[in-house]
Amino acid sequence: MEKTPPAPAERLPRPGTLRGRGFEAGRGRVPAAVGGSRPPPGLPGTGRREALTRGRGPAGGGREGGSRRPPRCEAAEAEGAARMAAGGGGRNVPLCSAEHGPRAAQRDGMRRDGGGDPYWSRPESRVWTVMLLLGTCLLYCARVTVPVCAVALSTHFDWDKKQSGIVLSSFFWGYCLTQIVGGHISDQIGGEKVLLLSASAWGFLTVITPLLTHVTSAHLVFMTSSRFLMGLLQGVYFPSLASLLSQKVRESERAFTYSTVGTGSQFGTLVIGGAGSLLLDWYGWESVFYFSGLLTLLWVYCTCKYLLGEKELTIPVDYLVRGLSISKQTKVPWKQLFKKAPIWAVIIAQLSTASTFFTLLSWLPTFFKETFPDSKGWVFNVVPWLVAIPTSLFSGFLSDHLINQGYKTITIRKFMQVIGSGVSSIFALCLGQTSSFCKAIVFASASVGLQTFNHSGISVNVQDLAPSCAGLLFGVGNTGGALLGVICVYLAGYLIETTGSWISVFNLVAAVNSIGLCAFLVFGEAQRVDTDSAYMDL
């Protein structure tokens, strides 16, 4: 792997000059300071200099020691145009350092309190990482209740494979509809608020689902509708998580943090696979729903009470309205953004990995139950996801370590994706060929475990490319993944019913993964594309 050459030393600006484009000293705009003193009030440019430097760090960026140049704003452009028309000189359009949008008030309040760094401190980051890991765990506990109980539900309601496939796939119809909206709202009002709202709703729905089955006789319609609504509520989670981490976690720590939080998906599947299998055998399928839903509501209560204040829990109506609409005056050039090949590469790769993961998540319990009917449910519902936890943590640690050692970010992202999509698919193919229960557990564990390397590949590559709109872009990719997941989950059930063989299912998983991996290897990049290079160094 190729290492990045060391960056040349940055030349210090001359005394009295301002860093960034559009500012020139000695032309009557900002008089040079003598001996570090401020220019006397009333001199031309004094007020502009104070306005431009207010609330910024020593290097002129939002981050400590950063060199980020502020974006354009309409007020600054109008001022520059007026000054040029008046003969004031200057070749460049002035830039504005002010933040705009609903999150500006939050940042400004932070600066008034004396902290100019938008990122979490290490203690805050650790606490939030643990709580988000638990939230992701409970997300999957609620999501996997139906797959874990699929055989029991089919027996109880007399469903065949096609009907079970309809219920299982209906989750993804709802899941794909709220990804983009959830990501955009999170970019505007904060991902933590969206996470808690959705979690409280899906926790309540999970608790009441068994109760409502006794009210209606149309069980197939009801369970399909319930899973659709569950998908709607959970669709905002990962885009909100991507938005939150892109705003609060430093780039050098992002892969490990995301990988740690991402282990919640395996940990949750592990918990519901183990505890859910025991509850299913002891108390019936209803107890699995109660267990998952009540724990989710408890997590929401603890997060609101101990991590967020009253002001942070309040969402002004005008902020929410602005979050629901994509402003035409947004500084993100959407048309140019979606013309970039790296954006489409990461979207296609995310689409592929998400859909294949959903397929395995939905059908692996049924595969083991039918292929090895004498096996214990807690074994095949626990072991693969137990293996996935350390592999996810290791992938994040390895990724950040290699990047800190000087290897190019995109090289590491692609290396992780080769393992996450390519090597894991090989073990999925082996899973369809074996008739040994022990080998099947090994192959399933390797396939599911190595898929977690995607957390350090495409999942953080979205944040590399466009941190200012990571939530929305992640939502676009996950929407495609959910749509393809609907097709793949239903198609898997159809293939099993018509061919009577599981080999075709794992062939489907490998083929879809290969398409996404090839797109990312050819077109993937890790430089920012959400801003014009004229305003920011990539």
Side-chain angles (χ1 to χ4, degrees), residues 41-160:
L43 287 180
T46 304
R48 178 162 176 75
R49 173 173 179 168
E50 292 176 355
L52 287 167
T53 56
R54 186 181 301 122
R56 298 181 61 189
R63 295 185 234 177
E64 183 179 352
S67 61
R68 181 176 295 180
R69 297 181 179 88
R72 290 188 181 189
C73 85
E74 294 182 356
E77 290 179 346
E79 180 184 346
R83 192 161 56 218
M84 292 181 67
R91 294 166 296 174
N92 299 319
V93 177
L95 303 175
C96 175
S97 64
E99 292 187 71
H100 304 281
R103 293 186 72 88
Q106 179 181 349
R107 301 286 179 89
D108 290 342
M110 180 170 50
R111 287 169 181 149
R112 286 195 297 270
D113 294 339
D117 192 348
Y119 301 117
W120 286 325
S121 64
R122 286 196 178 275
E124 288 177 325
S125 181
R126 289 168 185 162
V127 173
W128 272 101
T129 299
V130 172
M131 292 303 293
L132 291 173
L133 186 151
L134 292 176
T136 308
C137 168
L138 294 170
L139 173 93
Y140 271 81
C141 283
R143 182 181 299 186
V144 184
T145 49
V146 170
V148 167
C149 302
V151 176
L153 289 172
S154 299
T155 303
H156 185 77
F157 297 123
D158 195 24
W159 295 338
D160 58 22

Side-chain angles (χ1 to χ4, degrees), residues 143-152 161 168 269 272-273 277 280 357-373 375-382 384-385 431 437 444 448 496 502 506:
R143 182 181 299 186
V144 184
T145 49
V146 170
V148 167
C149 302
V151 176
K161 288 290 188 304
L168 290 171
T269 309
I272 201 65
S277 297
L280 182 63
F357 176 75
F358 294 150
T359 303
L360 291 177
L361 183 69
S362 299
W363 286 110
L364 269 183
T366 306
F367 164 75
F368 278 101
K369 197 71 176 178
E370 293 191 348
T371 308
F372 309 101
S375 61
K376 297 293 183 180
W378 66 267
V379 176
F380 57 76
N381 283 329
V382 168
W385 311 104
L431 182 60
F437 177 72
V448 172
I496 298 167
W502 286 89
F506 300 115

